[in-house]
């Protein structure tokens, strides 16, 4: 049950946030002090390409069986534009459920452009036994904070944030001729996450390392890439590929600044740009793309795959790599308290 004071706080800040401090199944580090996350992004399943759907879902099963994740993070765009999205979502969720691994889903921009409403999709996701997503006001999946407990279950070792990065700009005279294509993290979301960082530090008596997952990259992803060779950013290492400019929002509401000031955030993981899979350390935070998981349903020039993130218990450290179609690993790097190694 969500404490009343947290509910009141969220209602004051925004109608799009909720705190999830306990949710079955509980996430916990393994005895070896590691917790592995498989990030799936941009499947872009369509009703008119069932062959691609079958191969995509088969690849996901293979990745789960070989990488053995403790959590699956689905960072949006499960479906592309088109009809029969309910059937597609049901088949996708059935496939996830059959893997018997906890998962969390956040909306991509295309998931919100269907004949199904966000509330209807949210209801399907929340009904799954292995889903850790939480519905809030109006029955819609909300921004959440999820703890990962220590291997002995005695304390929180990491925290995971799952955020809604919204969708494309609808017709609005205020943004005419401004070349703004995508929405942005709202000020209410930034206020909410600042409060969560503050609350977490008070609760634990220290700063707990954290990671954030959402679909559309922050403007800082482009900034980090552009300054990767700058003499002013000597610790701005980068690994991976940048094959397109990037579809980040042009409006910056301060989400990265909130994460930076917290001292908590170790990594930010997004999707959206199918030809980008790079990871870069920017001002002590790793900014990373997943690898496009969809098979033949949309543009991509990289081999289909997924990103794996392995958190280290009690340390602001993780190792990450890309697992490609067929199981090969590439671009393995370790982020150790502010720098890619």
């Amino acid at each position: 049950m969500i404490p009343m004071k947290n509910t009141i706080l969220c209602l004051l800040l925004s109608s799009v946030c909720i705190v999830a401090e306990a949710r079955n199944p509980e996430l916990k580090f393994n005895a070896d002090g590691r917790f592995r996350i498989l990030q799936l992004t941009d499947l872009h399943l369509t009703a008119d390409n069932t062959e691609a759907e079958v191969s995509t879902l088969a690849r996901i099963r293979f990745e789960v069986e070989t990488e053995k994740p403790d959590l699956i993070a689905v960072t949006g765009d499960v479906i592309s534009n088109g009809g029969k999205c309910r059937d597609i979502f049901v088949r996708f969720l059935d496939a996830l459920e059959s893997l018997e691994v906890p998962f969390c889903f956040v909306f991509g921009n295309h998931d919100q452009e269907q004949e199904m409403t966000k509330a209807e999709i949210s209801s399907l996701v929340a009904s799954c036994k292995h889903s850790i997503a939480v519905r809030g006001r109006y029955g819609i999946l909300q921004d959440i904070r999820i703890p990962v407990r220590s291997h002995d279950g005695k304390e929180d070792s990491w925290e995971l944030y799952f955020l809604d990065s919204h969708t494309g700009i609808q017709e609005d005279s205020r943004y005419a001729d401004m070349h703004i294509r995508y929405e942005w993290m709202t000020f209410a979301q930034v206020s909410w996450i600042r409060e969560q960082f503050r609350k977490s530090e008070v609760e634990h008596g220290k700063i707990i390392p954290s990671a954030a997952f959402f679909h559309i990259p922050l403007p800082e992803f482009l900034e980090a890439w552009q300054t990767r060779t700058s003499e002013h950013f000597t610790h701005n290492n980068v690994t991976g590929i940048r094959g397109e400019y990037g579809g980040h929002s042009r409006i910056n509401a301060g989400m990265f600044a909130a994460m930076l000031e917290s001292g908590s955030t170790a990594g930010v993981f997004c999707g959206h740009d199918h030809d980008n899979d790079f990871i870069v350390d920017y001002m002590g935070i790793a900014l990373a793309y997943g690898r496009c998981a969809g098979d033949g349903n949309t543009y991509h020039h990289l081999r289909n795959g997924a990103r794996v993130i392995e958190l280290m218990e009690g340390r602001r450290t993780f190792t990450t790599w890309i697992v490609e179609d067929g199981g090969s690993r590439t671009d393995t790097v370790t982020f150790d308290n502010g720098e890619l190694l």
Side-chain angles (χ1 to χ4, degrees), residues 23-182:
R23 164 87 175 175
N24 289 326
E26 182 181 69
L27 304 182
K28 189 168 71 171
F29 276 84
N30 295 299
D32 63 358
R34 300 171 188 271
F35 183 87
R36 186 173 290 186
I37 302 169
L38 179 72
Q39 181 196 0
L40 299 176
T41 195
D42 295 87
L43 283 71
H44 284 269
L45 303 176
T46 61
D48 59 356
N49 195 340
T50 55
E51 182 178 341
E53 179 182 323
V54 169
S55 60
T56 297
L57 297 182
R59 181 183 303 109
I60 292 172
R61 173 169 289 278
F62 175 79
E63 290 166 350
V64 169
E65 290 175 347
T66 55
E67 295 294 335
K68 297 178 171 53
D70 301 294
L71 175 70
I72 299 172
V74 184
T75 53
D77 278 6
V78 169
I79 51 180
S80 288
N81 293 331
K84 299 181 180 178
C85 67
R86 175 181 290 275
D87 295 340
I88 298 172
F89 253 104
V90 168
R91 289 194 296 271
F92 170 70
L93 292 174
D94 283 347
L96 281 189
E97 283 284 77
S98 70
L99 299 172
E100 299 187 336
V101 177
F103 71 91
C104 195
F105 165 86
V106 293
F107 284 99
N109 54 295
H110 287 297
D111 298 320
Q112 304 176 64
E113 300 168 351
Q114 310 300 323
E115 72 268 20
M116 287 182 70
T117 65
K118 289 183 74 172
E120 290 172 330
I121 294 175
S122 298
S123 178
L124 289 176
V125 174
S127 67
C128 294
K129 175 183 177 182
H130 295 94
S131 171
I132 62 172
V134 177
R135 285 187 296 172
R137 228 176 159 194
Y138 310 118
I140 296 174
L141 297 178
Q142 305 297 348
D143 296 348
I144 55 175
R145 169 166 63 101
I146 301 289
V148 183
R149 303 286 286 173
S150 58
H151 73 277
D152 58 12
K154 293 182 178 180
E155 61 180 0
D156 296 344
S157 185
W158 274 70
E159 291 181 326
L160 306 178
Y161 289 84
F162 294 89
L163 309 173
D164 188 345
S165 59
H166 312 299
T167 185
I169 288 292
Q170 306 302 315
E171 291 186 12
D172 191 321
S173 60
R174 293 176 297 173
Y175 307 121
D177 301 321
M178 289 187 182
H179 305 289
I180 301 175
R181 184 176 179 184
Y182 296 105

Side-chain angles (χ1 to χ4, degrees), residues 292-310:
C292 181
D295 192 355
N297 291 327
T298 186
Y299 79 92
H300 58 85
H301 297 90
L302 304 175
R303 292 182 67 185
N304 299 109
R307 178 173 290 282
V308 180
I309 307 108
E310 191 169 75

Side-chain angles (χ1 to χ4, degrees), residues 237 239 281 315 317-318 332-341:
N237 300 322
T239 297
D281 54 326
R315 298 165 53 192
T317 301
F318 64 84
T332 300
V333 293
T334 295
F335 179 85
D336 187 13
N337 198 31
E339 186 176 0
L340 286 182
L341 304 176

Side-chain angles (χ1 to χ4, degrees), residues 197-219:
F197 288 138
R198 185 203 66 79
K199 187 174 183 291
S200 175
E201 186 173 358
V202 170
E203 288 174 349
H204 301 104
K206 60 182 179 179
I207 296 174
I208 300 293
S210 65
F213 296 84
F214 45 86
H215 183 68
I216 298 176
L218 299 172

Side-chain angles (χ1 to χ4, degrees), residues 219-268:
E220 282 80 7
F221 275 69
L222 175 62
E223 197 172 290
W225 177 272
Q226 291 177 331
T227 59
R228 70 195 186 282
T229 58
S230 169
E231 61 181 352
H232 302 295
F233 294 90
T234 55
H235 295 291
N236 198 2
N237 300 322
V238 62
T239 297
I241 297 170
R242 179 176 182 252
E244 60 179 303
Y245 182 79
H248 59 277
S249 170
R250 301 300 189 266
I251 305 298
N252 194 329
M255 182 61 76
F256 180 83
M259 293 175 173
L260 181 66
E261 291 176 0
S262 74
S264 166
T265 307
V268 178

